[in-house]
Amino acid sequence: MIPDFLVIGAQRSGTTSLFQVMRRHPEIFMPDVKEVNFFFHDNHYRRGVDYYRSVFAEAPARAQAVGEASPGYICKPGVARRIHEMLPTVKLIAVLRNPVDRAYSQYWDNRRFLAEPLSFEQAMEVALTPEYRHGERGYFSRGVYIEQLESYLEWFEREQLLVLVFEDLKQDPEATFERCFEFLGVDPGFRCPEMTRASNSAMTWDNPLHAFFLEHNRYQRYVPKHWIKQVCRGPLVKRRYSPMSAEARERLLAFYGPYNRRLEEFLGRKLPAWER
């Protein structure tokens, strides 16, 4: 058994919610672990097709759709070709979020795991580029969606690609999931509580050491990696992060504007929520 659909991204755009709901659908099988990352990580890919098949070994014969969700697939160069070589008829699902908000969400995700010593403005100075570079900060390059989608269409037909919008998922989750189920050829009338429940929301560990390094992130570079697991522990609590500065938002809106307009033309719709 190998997948007939992949959720390819984007990171911090609702893929966890999509994964959790799709796993509840009785006609869909997805492995327990999100982010299999077979096509993303070279060491996984070198293990070959038999290893990849083993990930889906528990898929029941009654499953009408089998897939996985790895949001890094959308942005890394070469992944589309790898997927096509192994799964030329696969269906692809992308969930896209306002790239300004997506970048800020990923930035704070790294902050909470004590992996970002720079301020957001400093990160913009060193990483504001449309080119994704594996192993470097991808806060901003991951939001240049149109170029990522166009790289997939070099290998796949347009009919194989479904593009969902994160803001639609929040505003009308049932209709958005119905589109997804219809695309996969499973019962579109399926409903579950997870459809209206936020997933992967911003949570931090409620301990004073973590709080110190989170607030004084310039010191994060001095935290030994083997300490991280000790610091990132304790009861989980929701945390509201400080808003992005108006200057940073304006700069990012200008940066993404040309790419977003091309995306709107590609999708045949306006994305007004992405203009602010």
Side-chain angles (χ1 to χ4, degrees):
M1 183 72 72
I2 54 177
D4 48 36
F5 78 90
L6 300 173
V7 178
I8 60 174
Q11 187 185 34
R12 307 301 299 176
S13 298
T15 56
T16 298
S17 295
L18 200 64
F19 170 75
Q20 291 182 348
V21 169
M22 293 169 79
R23 289 195 71 239
R24 290 289 308 275
H25 197 294
E27 297 174 354
I28 296 175
F29 174 83
M30 301 183 82
D32 292 340
V33 177
K34 180 175 176 276
E35 301 191 31
V36 173
N37 280 325
F38 174 76
F39 298 102
F40 185 85
H41 289 309
D42 296 344
N43 58 334
H44 289 358
Y45 187 69
R46 283 192 290 266
R47 299 177 73 175
V49 65
D50 289 339
Y51 162 74
Y52 195 45
R53 288 179 186 275
S54 71
V55 175
F56 307 95
E58 296 182 4
R62 60 178 172 78
Q64 299 299 305
V66 175
E68 54 121 333
S70 296
Y73 287 168
I74 194 173
C75 61
K76 185 178 179 181
V79 166
R81 176 185 56 79
R82 284 181 173 180
I83 294 173
H84 186 266
E85 288 175 352
M86 189 176 293
L87 308 170
T89 61
V90 73
K91 294 180 178 181
L92 306 165
I93 301 173
V95 193
L96 310 181
R97 179 183 184 180
N98 180 334
V100 176
D101 296 333
R102 195 221 67 79
Y104 202 54
S105 178
Q106 186 188 0
Y107 167 79
W108 274 102
D109 200 41
N110 281 5
R111 281 276 297 265
R112 73 188 177 105
F113 282 102
L114 309 187
E116 180 51 86
L118 301 182
S119 70
F120 189 67
E121 288 74 13
Q122 289 171 331
M124 289 175 63
E125 292 302 320
V126 300
L128 187 55
T129 172
E131 298 177 5
Y132 176 82
R133 300 174 183 137
H134 187 56
E136 299 182 15
R137 290 175 178 85
Y139 305 142
F140 312 107
S141 60
R142 283 177 179 262
V144 184
Y145 306 126
I146 184 60
E147 298 204 342
Q148 297 160 7
L149 296 177
E150 287 176 347
S151 72
Y152 268 84
L153 294 181
E154 294 177 9
W155 298 96
F156 297 94
E157 299 297 324
R158 177 65 179 89
E159 294 73 22
Q160 291 176 256
L161 174 65
L162 173 67
V163 179
L164 304 175
V165 176
F166 173 81
E167 290 76 13
D168 294 343
L169 189 61
K170 289 185 66 176
Q171 183 174 354
D172 193 348
E174 290 190 359
T176 305
F177 280 112
E178 189 169 321
R179 282 187 63 204
C180 182
F181 296 151
E182 288 175 346
F183 177 70
L184 296 179
V186 298
D187 178 14
F190 173 76
R191 300 290 184 270
C192 66
E194 285 80 359
M195 282 186 174
T196 55
R197 188 180 301 160
S199 300
N200 204 15
S201 57
M203 306 286 284
T204 59
W205 292 271
D206 188 17
N207 76 63
L209 194 56
H210 181 270
F212 173 83
F213 284 113
L214 182 65
E215 292 298 331
H216 303 85
N217 66 307
R218 64 186 180 277
Y219 297 120
Q220 289 183 7
R221 67 176 81 244
Y222 304 115
V223 183
K225 292 190 181 298
H226 65 278
W227 280 16
I228 297 294
K229 288 185 179 179
Q230 302 303 315
V231 176
C232 296
R233 65 191 307 172
L236 284 172
V237 293
K238 282 192 175 182
R239 181 183 180 88
R240 188 179 296 276
Y241 302 124
S242 58
M244 187 188 310
S245 70
E247 294 80 6
R249 180 169 290 276
E250 287 301 316
R251 185 177 177 186
L252 290 181
L253 287 172
F255 172 77
Y256 287 118
Y259 302 109
N260 290 347
R261 288 189 287 273
R262 285 169 54 196
L263 179 64
E264 288 178 331
E265 184 176 351
F266 175 78
L267 296 177
R269 60 172 290 188
K270 297 291 290 182
L271 298 167
W274 291 21
E275 297 174 1
R276 54 184 184 274

